[in-house]
Amino acid sequence: MTKIYICFYLLSKPTVNLHESSEKVKPGNIDVHPTEKALVVHYEVEASIRGERGDAVHEERKECQKIIRLKSLNASTDVALLARKVVEECKLIHPSKVAEVEHLLFYLQNRKKPGSKADKEEKKLMKPRELTPFEGMEIDEEANINKIDEYVELLYENIPEKIRGSTLILHLARNPDNLEELLRNETALGALARVLREDWKQSVELATTIVYVFFCFSSFSQFHGLITHYKIGALCMNIIEHELKRYDLWQDELDKKNPDNLALRKDHEKAYKKYQSLLVKQEQLLRVALYLLLNLAEDTRTELKMRNKNIVHLLVKTLDRDSEELLVLVVSFLKKLSIFLENKNDMAELDTVEKLARLVPCEHEDLLNVALRLLLNLSFDTGLRSKMVQVGLLPKLTALLGSESHKQIVMCILYHISIDDRSKSMFAYTDCIPQLMKMVFEHGEERIDSELISFCINLAANKRNAHIICEGNGLKMLMKRALKFKDPLLMKMIRNISQHDGPLKQLFLDYVGDLAAQIGPDEDEEFVIECLGTLANLTIPDLDWELLLREYNLVPYLKDHLKPGSAEDDLILEVVIMIGTVSMDDSCAVMLAKSGIIPALIELLNAQQEDDEFVCQIVYVFYQMVFHQATRDVIIKDTQAPAYLIDLMHDKNTEIRKVCDNTLDIIAEYDEEWGRKIQSEKFRWHNSQWLEMVESRQMDEAEPYLYGDDPDGLEQADLFYSTGKSRISNLSLSLSLSLSLSGTILGQYIFK
């Protein structure tokens, strides 16, 4: 016959001196228990107290529940018969609900047990394993919630009785259904907190058991206030700190009893056995105390208090332990703390990366997973990334790329490491790049994962890595895939490869036609940008640029995309860079000059004068063009480009000044008139302070028209030395010589 276990939560009736009291019970919903084979019957109790005249003086309502445990329910149970039995014995369930009860019982009968493989894997990612019973928890009687007062009495006896009483209470607390009942028993909780506070140093077993009781409460956020009230968190911090100091003392004692000394060998063996026994008990205490603190750290204010009490230092120190279960908890706690900058900085100072390096790899899957996740959080710091390389984590992480369960996290860590130029070259000494290339080509028709392709883009920026990527048919396969799927990120990787001088650029001679064919108004703009950038990197003497421009009719496209606002700035910039590369060829430079690209560049320079990259690249185009006789004459005689270059000669950007100086030196060498103007401007800039002093004295002597009829003429040169943002104050200017001072010709620039 099926046994039905019913647990009642009873309301205590208030004692009153009035005439009459009554209770009404209103049945509610019926649910299944979330974890056990049981039904939960909800009901409402309405208590009222009536006066002498029969009117209600006081009314109170309380929602309650009854749990009907069905321990004998199994696959062969007749649920229809059991449903009728439950309804007969439980007066809170109306007979009309037999069908509903039967349905719920059928659900319980077929409900899968929690803890499937997928669930376990998910839990591993979220939190360390639940605490399991440990040595010393076994008792020879079954705990009963009705005997809680007897258990509390034991807490006032000697240590063995205190351990027994707290263990019985722990067995009750491990059942979540009992927590609310225990919560209402302030005497029991107060006694536990007092005993822990007074006696935790006397017995590790006692401390572990009582902390475990409060840990059971900490698993539910609504009970955190209770733990804070009894200051259990602060007490746990003190316990952890004390136990870590004890551990250091044990280590020192063992070191003193050197096993190499025959006379001390027996003492060492005896001490080591005792040490092992103490270590197991201590790690149980550390684990339950840290787990309690981890639960409390859900509140960031509580977490801040822990940090102020040096929790990071205590956790990092615990990383030296060998207990895998303890390490899972410690690393999980550090991972949670590492999202805050101050905690991350503390971990950096305490050499956390060095201690984590010994855990990668390890056989314990949970520990390896959480260690990698902590390393990922720390890898956002440049110094810690460098430290990971120094301690030898790079080959270890590379070896884990083949693991499906860890590949994604490892990929992200390695991506962060590859950001640093110093670390990029280190990948060439591992088997990382061949693995990545294999992953890229295994994607088939699918788009390559963003983490994978981003990692490859970074690695391709290093010359040694690029050589490894292009080994065999590497570049050919990359080009084929990029052109087939029009993948801008994959083309960006190819573009990074093309920037390296030497044999690598020669490999691209076979693909210049394919790249040029992608440049057109109908193609995806991002993909075109990367194709233009790749072509612009190909500074190869053997490449016939004129033939390429004519065959694919690229000059109109390049000219049209020099107009400000004609496209996104990134595309316009790539067009300018492309023109700079093409201008290295004499015939191409002439073709571009005749097409009217130089005035278009000047117009673009005027529009983008605040953008250093645009200005530098446009000036570089002029630099390339003045090398050729035909285009040099066009620039000097038919455009105002030299005047713009003079105005940019003193720009605050070093690279711009350098390119301007080189370009103006070539112009001055081939044109005497511009040479004098350039020399004059350089003199004026070099002696600007002295000239200002002379001009100031002349103004004081009431000679305002010394420099001509224009009273404002003296101030015009200041436009060239403006400290404001604008590089070019007026792009419609002419140059004239207007002053001879002490036998030296000075250039005076008049703006129209």
Side-chain angles (χ1 to χ4, degrees):
M1 183 174 178
T2 303
K3 296 181 180 179
I4 301 174
Y5 298 87
I6 301 176
C7 177
F8 292 91
Y9 290 91
L10 300 178
L11 292 175
S12 57
K13 296 182 181 180
T15 303
V16 295
N17 294 323
L18 299 175
H19 291 340
E20 185 180 357
S21 63
S22 63
E23 282 186 353
K24 293 181 180 179
V25 178
K26 182 180 179 181
N29 297 328
I30 308 173
D31 295 324
V32 296
H33 196 281
T35 58
E36 299 182 17
K37 288 183 180 180
L39 296 176
V40 181
V41 181
H42 299 274
Y43 62 97
E44 185 180 273
V45 177
E46 180 180 336
S48 60
I49 303 173
R50 301 185 181 278
E52 295 179 355
R53 299 179 181 179
D55 55 331
V57 177
H58 177 74
E59 291 185 352
E60 183 178 352
R61 293 182 180 181
K62 188 169 184 180
E63 293 183 355
C64 304
Q65 65 180 20
K66 177 191 290 187
I67 299 175
I68 305 175
R69 290 186 171 84
L70 309 161
K71 294 184 178 180
S72 60
L73 179 64
N74 54 47
S76 60
T77 303
D78 185 346
V79 292
L81 179 62
L82 181 58
R84 290 195 295 271
K85 185 68 174 177
V86 169
V87 173
E88 288 175 5
E89 296 195 9
C90 182
K91 303 302 181 184
L92 295 172
I93 304 177
H94 194 271
S96 62
K97 292 190 175 184
V98 172
E100 181 182 348
V101 173
E102 183 178 344
H103 176 74
L104 295 174
L105 292 177
F106 180 77
Y107 170 78
L108 285 173
Q109 188 181 42
N110 294 277
R111 183 170 64 179
K112 293 181 179 180
K113 293 183 178 180
S116 64
K117 184 177 181 181
D119 293 338
K120 289 181 179 178
E121 289 180 358
E122 181 66 23
K123 287 181 180 179
K124 286 178 183 178
L125 301 179
M126 299 301 295
K127 60 187 294 187
R129 289 180 181 173
E130 294 291 341
L131 288 172
T132 54
F134 49 83
E135 184 180 353
M137 276 186 61
E138 300 83 3
I139 50 177
D140 55 3
E141 68 175 280
E142 184 177 352
N144 190 329
I145 191 68
N146 297 322
K147 297 182 179 180
I148 184 66
D149 293 338
E150 297 178 14
Y151 306 154
V152 173
E153 290 295 328
L154 294 173
L155 298 178
Y156 294 90
E157 304 295 333
N158 296 324
I159 295 297
E161 286 75 18
K162 289 178 179 178
I163 294 175
R164 180 176 179 80
S166 59
T167 303
L168 288 164
I169 296 175
L170 172 58
H171 278 259
L172 294 175
R174 292 190 69 217
N175 184 351
D177 295 336
N178 294 327
L179 290 179
E180 289 192 4
E181 187 71 20
L182 290 172
L183 181 65
R184 291 193 288 268
N185 196 325
E186 295 183 4
T187 303
L189 296 176
L192 287 168
R194 176 188 59 79
V195 172
L196 179 63
R197 191 164 44 251
E198 295 175 357
D199 298 332
W200 66 266
K201 289 185 179 180
Q202 298 184 34
S203 171
V204 174
E205 292 89 343
L206 179 62
T208 304
T209 305
I210 297 178
V211 173
Y212 203 147
V213 173
F214 287 103
F215 161 76
C216 294
F217 283 97
S218 73
S219 300
F220 301 92
S221 300
Q222 61 266 36
F223 298 136
H224 286 185
L226 161 75
I227 300 170
T228 304
H229 173 72
Y230 289 108
K231 299 182 179 180
I232 302 300
L235 193 53
C236 284
M237 292 284 293
N238 294 336
I239 291 172
I240 293 169
E241 185 176 6
H242 176 78
E243 291 301 326
L244 291 178
K245 290 179 180 178
R246 287 181 64 191
Y247 176 77
D248 292 338
L249 292 175
W250 295 344
Q251 293 285 351
D252 293 339
E253 290 178 6
L254 278 178
D255 292 340
K256 291 177 182 178
K257 297 177 181 180
N258 190 349
D260 296 334
N261 189 330
L262 294 177
L264 298 176
R265 180 172 296 179
K266 289 186 177 180
D267 290 342
H268 180 273
E269 292 177 356
K270 184 178 179 181
Y272 185 74
K273 289 181 180 179
K274 182 180 179 182
Y275 163 77
Q276 290 291 335
S277 176
L278 293 173
L279 193 62
V280 170
K281 294 180 179 179
Q282 186 188 69
E283 288 178 346
Q284 291 170 352
L285 175 57
L286 289 175
R287 187 164 173 244
V288 70
L290 286 171
Y291 211 151
L292 183 145
L293 292 176
L294 177 58
N295 287 343
L296 294 181
E298 291 178 0
D299 186 342
T300 53
R301 293 171 297 180
T302 305
E303 185 177 308
L304 180 60
K305 293 179 182 178
M306 295 180 192
R307 184 191 178 276
N308 294 336
K309 287 182 174 290
N310 221 6
I311 185 66
V312 176
H313 175 77
L314 298 178
L315 290 169
V316 174
K317 192 173 182 180
T318 314
L319 284 176
D320 296 328
R321 299 299 186 97
D322 295 323
S323 171
E324 292 177 336
E325 294 298 330
L326 177 61
L327 287 172
V328 169
L329 179 60
V330 171
V331 178
S332 298
F333 208 153
L334 286 170
K335 178 176 72 70
K336 183 181 187 306
L337 296 171
S338 65
I339 63 176
F340 293 101
L341 178 65
E342 297 81 3
N343 296 332
K344 183 267 298 178
N345 292 338
D346 288 347
M347 294 178 200
E349 294 175 2
L350 296 169
D351 297 331
T352 307
V353 171
E354 288 89 331
K355 296 188 176 185
L356 290 173
R358 75 181 184 92
L359 304 178
V360 180
C362 67
E363 295 181 359
H364 197 286
E365 284 295 311
D366 291 356
L367 180 56
L368 178 58
N369 185 281
V370 73
L372 290 173
R373 290 175 180 273
L374 174 56
L375 286 171
L376 176 58
N377 286 0
L378 298 179
S379 67
F380 285 89
D381 182 273
T382 305
L384 291 176
R385 289 199 298 268
S386 177
K387 184 69 70 176
M388 291 177 193
V389 177
Q390 292 175 16
V391 300
L393 270 172
L394 195 56
K396 293 181 177 181
L397 293 170
T398 300
L400 290 172
L401 281 174
S403 170
E404 285 298 324
S405 55
H406 304 300
K407 181 172 68 175
Q408 193 71 14
I409 307 172
V410 171
M411 186 84 69
C412 293
I413 299 172
L414 292 175
Y415 166 75
H416 285 169
I417 294 175
S418 70
I419 293 173
D420 306 321
D421 291 335
R422 291 183 178 181
S423 302
K424 283 185 176 74
S425 60
M426 302 301 295
F427 285 91
Y429 301 101
T430 69
D431 64 342
C432 180
I433 296 175
Q435 290 190 65
L436 295 179
M437 294 296 287
K438 182 180 178 182
M439 293 178 193
V440 168
F441 298 131
E442 284 178 348
H443 269 76
E445 301 289 329
E446 300 175 359
R447 204 68 179 264
I448 301 173
D449 295 337
S450 57
E451 293 85 0
L452 173 58
I453 191 60
S454 301
F455 187 18
C456 292
I457 290 170
N458 285 354
L459 294 182
N462 177 267
K463 189 173 183 178
R464 185 175 296 171
N465 293 337
H467 276 283
I468 298 175
I469 292 171
C470 294
E471 286 179 354
N473 293 323
L475 180 59
K476 180 180 179 180
M477 297 174 71
L478 288 174
M479 285 294 302
K480 183 178 179 181
R481 181 180 179 89
L483 295 173
K484 180 180 179 181
F485 296 104
K486 310 288 185 182
D487 188 340
L489 292 178
L490 188 56
M491 186 55 71
K492 186 184 288 289
M493 176 185 175
I494 295 171
R495 176 182 175 180
N496 279 355
I497 296 173
S498 68
Q499 71 184 350
H500 303 296
D501 295 326
L504 286 175
K505 288 192 177 183
Q506 298 294 329
L507 298 176
F508 284 86
L509 285 173
D510 297 334
Y511 308 107
V512 289
D514 295 325
L515 291 169
Q518 308 304 316
I519 300 173
D522 299 329
E523 298 292 339
D524 177 62
E525 191 172 283
E526 290 185 9
F527 189 67
V528 172
I529 288 173
E530 301 306 329
C531 291
L532 277 169
T534 305
L535 285 172
N537 286 335
L538 302 182
T539 53
I540 308 172
D542 300 336
L543 183 56
D544 191 342
W545 283 109
E546 183 183 10
L547 178 62
L548 194 70
L549 292 179
R550 292 186 186 279
E551 183 175 349
Y552 293 95
N553 195 28
L554 294 180
V555 175
Y557 179 88
L558 297 177
K559 183 180 178 182
D560 292 342
H561 285 78
L562 285 178
K563 298 176 183 177
S566 61
E568 293 292 332
D569 284 354
D570 289 343
L571 179 57
I572 298 175
L573 180 61
E574 292 303 329
V575 168
V576 174
I577 297 172
M578 176 72 173
I579 293 172
T581 301
V582 171
S583 299
M584 296 173 64
D585 184 272
D586 189 16
S587 57
C588 287
V590 174
M591 185 193 306
L592 293 174
K594 290 181 179 179
S595 69
I597 273 183
I598 295 177
L601 285 170
I602 294 175
E603 182 185 354
L604 181 62
L605 178 62
N606 185 25
Q608 298 286 353
Q609 58 180 296
E610 302 302 327
D611 191 315
D612 282 5
E613 185 67 22
F614 264 102
V615 173
C616 190
Q617 294 298 341
I618 293 172
V619 173
Y620 179 75
V621 173
F622 294 151
Y623 171 74
Q624 289 293 347
M625 287 187 169
V626 296
F627 273 107
H628 312 296
Q629 178 65 41
T631 51
R632 183 167 56 244
D633 292 342
V634 173
I635 288 175
I636 294 174
K637 297 177 182 179
D638 299 339
T639 71
Q640 297 177 344
Y644 289 84
L645 294 173
I646 289 174
D647 200 33
L648 291 168
M649 191 165 57
H650 310 299
D651 193 88
K652 60 184 178 181
N653 187 292
T654 306
E655 291 299 322
I656 293 175
R657 292 201 307 269
K658 183 178 178 180
V659 179
C660 277
D661 287 343
N662 293 337
T663 309
L664 290 171
D665 288 345
I666 297 173
I667 292 174
E669 183 179 347
Y670 287 95
D671 189 283
E672 292 183 3
E673 183 181 356
W674 275 110
R676 289 193 300 269
K677 295 175 183 178
I678 294 168
Q679 182 183 6
S680 175
E681 173 57 24
K682 288 183 176 180
F683 176 86
R684 173 171 288 279
W685 176 261
H686 185 72
N687 298 281
S688 58
Q689 290 185 346
W690 181 79
L691 291 174
E692 287 176 5
M693 181 184 69
V694 172
E695 291 167 356
S696 176
R697 289 184 59 186
Q698 290 170 344
M699 292 294 293
D700 293 341
E701 293 172 4
E703 296 180 12
Y705 304 105
L706 178 63
Y707 295 97
D709 296 334
D710 185 2
D712 298 326
L714 188 64
E715 300 178 359
Q716 298 293 343
D718 293 341
L719 294 173
F720 284 101
Y721 310 105
S722 172
T723 58
K725 293 183 178 180
S726 178
R727 288 190 170 91
I728 305 171
S729 304
N730 190 330
L731 296 181
S732 176
L733 59 87
S734 64
L735 298 110
S736 64
L737 299 174
S738 61
L739 177 65
S740 175
L741 180 62
S742 301
T744 304
I745 298 176
L746 301 178
Q748 179 70 24
Y749 307 107
I750 308 299
F751 289 85
K752 294 181 180 178

